[in-house]
Amino acid sequence: MNCYEIDGLVPVVEEGAYVHPTAVLIGDVIVEQGAYIGPLASLRGDFGRIHVQHHANVQDNCVMHGFPDADTLVRPWGHVGHGAILHGCVVGENALVGMNAVVMDGAEVGENSIVAAHAFVKAEMRIPANVLVAGTPARVMRELRPEEIEWKRQGTQTYIDLVGRCLHSLRPATPLKAVEPDRPRLFQHADYLPKYKA
């Protein structure tokens, strides 16, 4: 990983977390056990603290940053989709921030809630637990059904499993010049389906 100290503060990555080698961690960053930080994610703790708690994930191209004296926090089982931006906010336990969504300063995403892809959560918005929010600016659309919360939990479990897969088998490789005969697939029959197929 690209890890940088600033003003005497060095990022912390606990045993059992996975941070991709292309991710950037600067200064006051804490990544707890079992968390996943994806390729090209930028966690800039050069002003406020960045804290990703256990079994949370921050996926490819995400940005986490905040003002001085403000924590940007992803609670346990939090799920931050590709390209999302978190700035000085709190993502609640088992909550999901969709791809390319933006969550601004002082906002809080409630437990089990889902922020839709491309949503803009304005500063200091308080999203209650167990709801779907969408739009620009984001607004509460409806309460989530129990099966939707379970679907989200299963999706996060795939990232918890990915931590172990990465720690045990991900390594640099030279690309092949041709596709092998009978090339295997990673998952023949996935137990977890995207929401549009579930």
Side-chain angles (χ1 to χ4, degrees), residues 1-190:
M1 81 192 79
N2 297 292
C3 183
Y4 299 92
E5 173 183 352
I6 189 168
D7 297 335
L9 273 175
V10 178
V12 175
V13 178
E14 292 185 354
E15 185 86 24
Y18 176 77
V19 179
H20 190 274
T22 62
V24 177
L25 278 57
I26 299 172
D28 193 4
V29 175
I30 302 166
V31 179
E32 292 187 10
Q33 180 270 331
Y36 173 88
I37 308 299
L40 302 173
S42 175
L43 282 63
R44 279 183 50 209
D46 48 13
F47 293 127
R49 175 169 293 172
I50 308 300
H51 193 167
V52 180
Q53 294 186 333
H54 66 87
H55 297 114
N57 67 78
V58 177
Q59 298 173 20
D60 327 45
N61 298 309
C62 288
V63 174
M64 293 183 68
H65 193 242
F67 290 118
D69 298 322
D71 289 4
T72 305
L73 173 64
V74 182
R75 295 197 186 279
W77 286 74
H79 190 109
V80 183
H82 316 291
I85 298 173
L86 307 180
H87 203 278
C89 60
V90 175
V91 176
E93 186 166 343
N94 199 48
L96 181 151
V97 175
M99 292 181 251
N100 290 309
V102 176
V103 185
M104 292 299 293
D105 301 277
E108 293 186 14
V109 179
E111 181 178 2
N112 300 323
S113 286
I114 294 176
V115 175
H118 289 278
F120 178 81
V121 177
K122 64 184 182 180
E124 299 187 341
M125 183 177 185
R126 297 292 185 269
I127 297 171
N130 308 309
V131 298
L132 170 67
V133 300
T136 302
R139 61 184 179 88
V140 175
M141 307 302 283
R142 61 176 175 81
E143 288 203 14
L144 291 168
R145 298 184 296 276
E147 61 268 25
E148 292 172 314
I149 294 171
E150 175 59 19
W151 168 82
K152 185 271 160 201
R153 190 203 63 75
Q154 291 174 12
T156 300
Q157 183 62 53
T158 65
Y159 272 86
I160 294 169
D161 297 342
L162 182 59
V163 169
R165 293 172 58 211
C166 289
L167 290 173
H168 292 103
S169 71
L170 185 73
R171 58 187 173 271
T174 302
L176 303 174
K177 299 294 184 187
V179 177
E180 326 84 297
D182 300 319
R183 181 178 174 89
R185 292 184 178 270
L186 290 174
F187 297 99
Q188 290 294 335
H189 303 287

